């Protein structure tokens, strides 16, 4: 996946290196926070979208293959729903928690997480 | 003026004499407006207008940067000023936000990519060209292929083939979850992600060209000394609006494609987890 939400947002927010996380240090001196947030938002948004589609696709395909073998047509939609569920769980685990962490580490003025307007308060 | 210009973009069904109440109906634009008669053929290879536009854009971009930086001065003058502005814009708005200072060696690639896409997109608004090359998906897939090959190559070189794929899934995940996630990751990485990268650009340019055609053809079709004239004026206003909108979309799509390329490179250079 394109970028690590938690460490970079943490960087942006307070300049602290959150322990236990991969921190590249390449953004700490970056003056262009708005640009950084924009790239982050863009890649995260498309990554989440891709995960949701990919989950349905992968498990839909598996379900379809099994349904062909067993002649149980119901397995195709069941596979798609299962895939969607797995994707959703993963997205929440991966990105939802990262956002919560990032929000927790910063005394945000108005809690506008990935919002571009955030770039104006520097 | 725009109406007449854009009309020429739809030679297939321009319906020159077609007006309201003349009984021939609105010549709706469609897929046929994206197919061009070959300009010339070499064996089975047919050279068409989109190819010409793409070639001219390539030559134009090369010529511009050549003129700007063939003999660079410490204190930039003339074209070099604009060239530096262009390069700095890509560096500060696209490259640095994703890759940081370490990524500066990828600047030539990203600048070329951005301006190639941008100029090709702009061609939908420029008279006589008036066709966005990227609305033919055949022009998009090779670029996606180039980006993906670079993406994979850098990932393999910096993380190793196995480590690269291993790093896609966050560490500390139980092995049974890993097994569940592998199909999702494979589908995302090899199908959905390249598909969205290419189709996003293609679909935006395709829809933009179609929108411009619809309203310009409608302006021409409705223009007459009847009540239709009122609608023609409205349609002409829409042409101006869509024209300005497309100016934004052209820039935005080039920006998004390049930004996503930069974030892909960033994720290949180091594990994102």
């Amino acid at each position: 996946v394109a970028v690590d939400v938690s460490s970079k947002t943490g960087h942006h927010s307070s300049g602290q290196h959150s322990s236990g996380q991969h921190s590249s240090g390449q953004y700490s001196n970056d003056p262009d926070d708005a640009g950084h947030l924009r790239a982050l938002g863009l890649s995260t948004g498309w990554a989440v979208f891709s995960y949701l589609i990919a989950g349905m696709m992968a498990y839909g395909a598996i379900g379809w293959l099994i349904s062909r073998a067993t002649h149980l047509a119901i397995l195709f939609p069941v596979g798609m729903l299962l895939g969607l569920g797995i994707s959703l769980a993963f997205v929440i685990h991966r990105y939802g928690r990262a956002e919560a962490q990032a929000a927790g580490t910063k005394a945000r003025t108005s809690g506008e997480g990935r919002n571009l307007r955030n770039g104006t308060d520097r | 003026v725009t109406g007449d210009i854009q009309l020429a973009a739809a030679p297939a069904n321009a319906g020159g004499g077609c007006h309201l109440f003349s009984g021939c109906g609105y010549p709706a634009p469609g897929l046929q407006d994206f197919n061009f008669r070959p300009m010339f053929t070499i064996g089975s290879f047919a050279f068409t207008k989109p190819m010409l536009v793409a070639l001219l854009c390539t030559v134009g971009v090369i010529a511009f940067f050549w003129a700007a930086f063939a003999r660079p001065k410490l204190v930039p003058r003339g074209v070099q000023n604009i060239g530096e502005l262009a390069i700095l814009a890509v560096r500060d708005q696209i490259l640095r936000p994703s890759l940081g200072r370490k990524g500066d060696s990828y600047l030539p690639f990203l600048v070329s990519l951005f301006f190639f896409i941008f100029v090709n997109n702009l061609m939908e608004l420029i008279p006589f060209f008036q066709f966005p090359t990227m609305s033919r998906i055949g022009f998009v897939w090779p670029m996606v292929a180039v980006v993906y090959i670079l993406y994979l190559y850098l990932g393999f070189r910096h993380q190793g083939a196995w480590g690269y794929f291993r790093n896609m899934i966050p560490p500390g995940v139980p092995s049974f979850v890993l097994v569940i996630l592998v199909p999702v990751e494979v589908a995302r990485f090899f199908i959905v992600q390249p598909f969205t990268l290419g189709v996003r650009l293609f679909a935006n340019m395709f829809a933009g060209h179609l929108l411009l055609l619809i309203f310009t053809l409608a302006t021409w079709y409705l223009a007459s000394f009847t009540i239709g004239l009122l609608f023609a004026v409205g349609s002409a206003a829409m042409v101006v609006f869509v024209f300005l909108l497309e100016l934004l979309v052209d820039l935005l799509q080039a920006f998004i494609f390049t930004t996503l390329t930069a974030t892909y490179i960033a994720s290949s250079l180091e594990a994102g987890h």
Side-chain angles (χ1 to χ4, degrees):
Chain A
V1 166
V3 277
D4 184 347
V5 177
S6 52
S7 70
K8 282 172 193 168
T9 316
H11 264 276
H12 158 70
S13 52
S14 54
Q16 292 167 351
H17 292 237
S18 20
S19 60
Q21 283 182 337
H22 175 84
S23 54
S24 54
Q26 58 181 321
Y27 300 108
S28 46
N29 297 323
D30 192 347
D32 195 359
D33 280 352
H36 170 56
L37 281 173
R38 193 174 51 220
L40 189 64
L42 201 62
S43 61
T44 307
W46 281 102
V48 168
F49 172 76
S50 299
Y51 270 117
L52 294 180
I53 303 293
M56 289 204 336
M57 214 175 195
Y59 280 89
I62 292 172
W64 181 77
L65 283 175
I66 300 175
S67 78
R68 260 180 76 91
T70 59
H71 300 288
L72 275 171
I74 187 75
L75 287 177
F76 178 37
V78 164
M80 283 179 81
L81 285 177
L82 182 71
L84 186 62
I86 290 169
S87 295
L88 267 176
F90 181 68
V91 163
I92 291 169
H93 169 82
R94 174 79 190 279
Y95 296 102
R97 213 179 48 173
E99 281 300 312
Q101 273 179 0
T105 52
K106 186 196 179 186
R108 284 183 192 278
T109 45
S110 53
E112 38 193 353
R114 299 133 295 180
N115 203 319
L116 287 188
R117 281 179 295 136
N118 217 8
T120 57
D121 65 5
R122 58 195 150 106
Chain B
V1 175
T2 328
D4 290 337
I5 288 163
Q6 288 301 327
L7 193 68
N13 66 350
C18 249
H19 283 289
L20 195 61
F21 303 132
S22 65
C24 53
Y26 174 59
L31 275 179
Q32 70 274 14
D33 297 308
F34 292 85
N35 291 320
F36 293 87
R37 267 191 293 275
M39 292 172 150
F40 59 85
T41 52
I42 304 168
S44 62
F45 171 76
F47 190 84
T48 55
K49 183 180 166 183
M51 295 182 197
L52 179 69
V53 174
L55 266 182
L56 288 176
C57 289
T58 313
V59 172
V61 171
I62 293 173
F64 172 74
F65 283 108
W66 194 282
F69 297 112
R71 278 182 294 278
K73 307 270 191 302
L74 200 59
V75 182
R77 295 183 60 191
V79 184
Q80 195 187 343
N81 264 321
I82 308 170
E84 286 191 4
L85 265 180
I87 286 184
L88 287 180
V90 173
R91 192 193 71 180
D92 293 338
Q93 299 301 321
I94 296 175
L95 188 141
R96 288 273 172 87
S98 306
L99 284 157
R101 283 175 202 285
K102 284 188 292 184
D104 279 1
S105 55
Y106 299 98
L107 188 60
F109 174 63
L110 292 180
V111 167
S112 315
L113 196 63
F114 177 83
F115 283 100
F116 179 68
I117 298 173
F118 183 46
V119 173
N120 266 300
N121 288 352
L122 273 185
M123 286 298 145
E124 75 170 323
L125 304 174
I126 295 174
F128 306 113
F129 297 110
Q130 53 212 10
F131 186 79
T133 328
M134 301 302 162
S135 67
R136 296 292 312 227
I137 204 160
F139 285 95
V140 178
W141 290 137
M143 286 197 310
V144 173
V146 167
V147 168
Y148 242 68
I149 289 168
L150 177 73
Y151 179 29
L152 279 169
Y153 168 73
L154 288 176
F156 286 180
R157 208 179 68 178
H158 287 267
Q159 301 172 36
W162 170 245
Y164 182 54
F165 288 112
R166 180 62 191 81
N167 282 334
M168 283 181 181
I169 295 164
V173 181
S175 53
F176 76 93
V177 179
L178 206 71
V179 173
I180 292 173
L181 282 178
V182 162
V184 181
E185 282 290 349
V186 168
R188 181 192 69 88
F189 188 82
F190 287 105
I191 301 171
V192 180
Q193 195 168 267
F195 184 80
T196 52
L197 184 67
V199 169
R200 180 191 309 111
L201 175 60
F202 153 75
N204 271 284
M205 300 333 294
F206 183 87
H209 188 57
L210 212 50
L211 267 180
L212 277 168
L213 280 180
I214 284 171
F215 287 111
T216 46
L217 282 175
T219 308
W220 175 253
Y221 175 70
L222 292 166
S224 55
F225 293 109
T226 61
I227 186 73
L229 191 61
L230 275 177
F231 294 103
V233 170
S235 185
M238 279 305 290
V239 171
V240 175
F241 171 72
V242 172
F243 188 94
L244 294 176
L245 181 76
E246 283 306 305
L247 208 58
L248 181 73
V249 170
D250 291 349
L251 180 67
L252 199 65
Q253 288 310 315
F255 174 81
I256 290 177
F257 195 98
T258 321
T259 298
L260 286 174
T261 303
T263 58
Y264 293 168
I265 293 173
S267 74
S268 282
L269 293 185
E270 48 188 298
H273 309 291

